[in-house]
């Protein structure tokens, strides 16, 4: 019931998922399907960045260790295109680079595997709702400065 209410506020948004494991991609896709968002899935960072460039997703969910580029490098590429998009990097091997990067980067977090899918879904919903509120505030500021 709570997820139905929450996902009604984010269902028009899209999530980009990157993981090199087919099993993990399927688990994340199934979990995110409960939100009602559109999803695109990629198996490496280069493919993910190409998809993001085409569609400008509302949220990026990426593994830290990917073929071609890391999850950190993927987020850097995403932020060049859309600086405010919320991003979550998940990893089974947290290190100083991912910790430092997420601490220093607005709207970017990391979670350690194994992921608790219900917590992940709630986290994504909250991040998407917060991003919508910020975008709404920016739009109102822009409209008031034009007047």
């Amino acid at each position: 019931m709570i997820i139905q209410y929450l996902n009604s506020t984010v269902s028009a948004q899209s999530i980009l998922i990157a993981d090199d494991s087919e099993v993990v991609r399927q688990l994340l896709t199934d979990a995110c399907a409960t939100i009602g968002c559109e999803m695109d899935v990629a198996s490496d960072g280069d493919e993910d960045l190409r998809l993001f460039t085409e569609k400008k997703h509302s949220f990026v969910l990426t593994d830290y260790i990917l073929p071609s580029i890391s999850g950190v490098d993927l987020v850097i590429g995403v932020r060049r295109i859309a600086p405010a998009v919320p991003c979550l990097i998940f990893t089974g091997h947290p290190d100083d680079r991912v910790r430092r990067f997420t601490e220093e980067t607005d709207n970017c977090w990391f979670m350690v595997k194994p992921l608790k899918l219900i917590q992940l879904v709630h986290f994504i919903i909250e991040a998407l709702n917060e991003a919508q509120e910020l975008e709404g505030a920016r739009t109102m500021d822009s409209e008031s400065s034009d007047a």
Side-chain angles (χ1 to χ4, degrees):
M1 185 75 135
I2 292 172
I3 287 183
Q4 281 181 326
Y5 168 75
L6 290 172
N7 74 15
S8 69
T9 64
V10 298
S11 62
Q13 298 187 47
S14 61
I15 299 172
L16 185 56
I17 298 171
D19 195 289
D20 55 331
S21 165
E22 187 175 340
V23 171
V24 173
R25 286 194 310 270
Q26 188 60 55
L27 285 169
L28 293 173
T29 300
D30 291 347
C32 291
T34 64
I35 301 172
C37 292
E38 289 183 29
M39 285 174 283
D40 285 303
V41 181
S43 60
D44 69 64
D46 285 335
E47 182 184 359
D48 221 32
L49 193 53
R50 181 188 57 76
L51 286 168
F52 185 83
T53 301
E54 291 172 8
K55 296 193 177 179
K56 313 289 187 297
H57 297 81
S58 308
F59 191 92
V60 174
L61 178 59
T62 181
D63 193 4
Y64 177 43
I65 299 173
L66 294 168
S68 68
I69 64 173
S70 73
V72 167
D73 294 327
L74 171 62
V75 171
I76 290 169
V78 163
R79 292 300 176 81
R80 287 184 183 130
I81 299 163
V85 170
C87 300
L88 176 67
I89 302 169
F90 53 91
T91 181
H93 310 284
D95 62 23
D96 287 341
R97 181 177 186 222
V98 72
R99 289 178 198 277
R100 226 178 7 263
F101 179 77
T102 56
E103 287 171 0
E104 296 169 355
T105 305
D106 290 337
N107 259 356
C108 186
W109 308 271
F110 84 96
M111 287 185 174
V112 178
K113 294 179 188 177
L115 301 172
K116 293 183 172 103
L117 295 179
I118 193 71
Q119 289 177 326
L120 175 66
V121 167
H122 283 281
F123 182 86
I124 292 169
I125 291 169
E126 287 178 24
L128 287 169
N129 282 331
E130 191 173 305
Q132 277 184 321
E133 289 173 15
L134 289 172
E135 184 60 33
R138 278 190 217 111
T139 302
M140 291 177 72
D141 287 345
S142 170
E143 290 171 355
S144 66
S145 66
D146 289 344

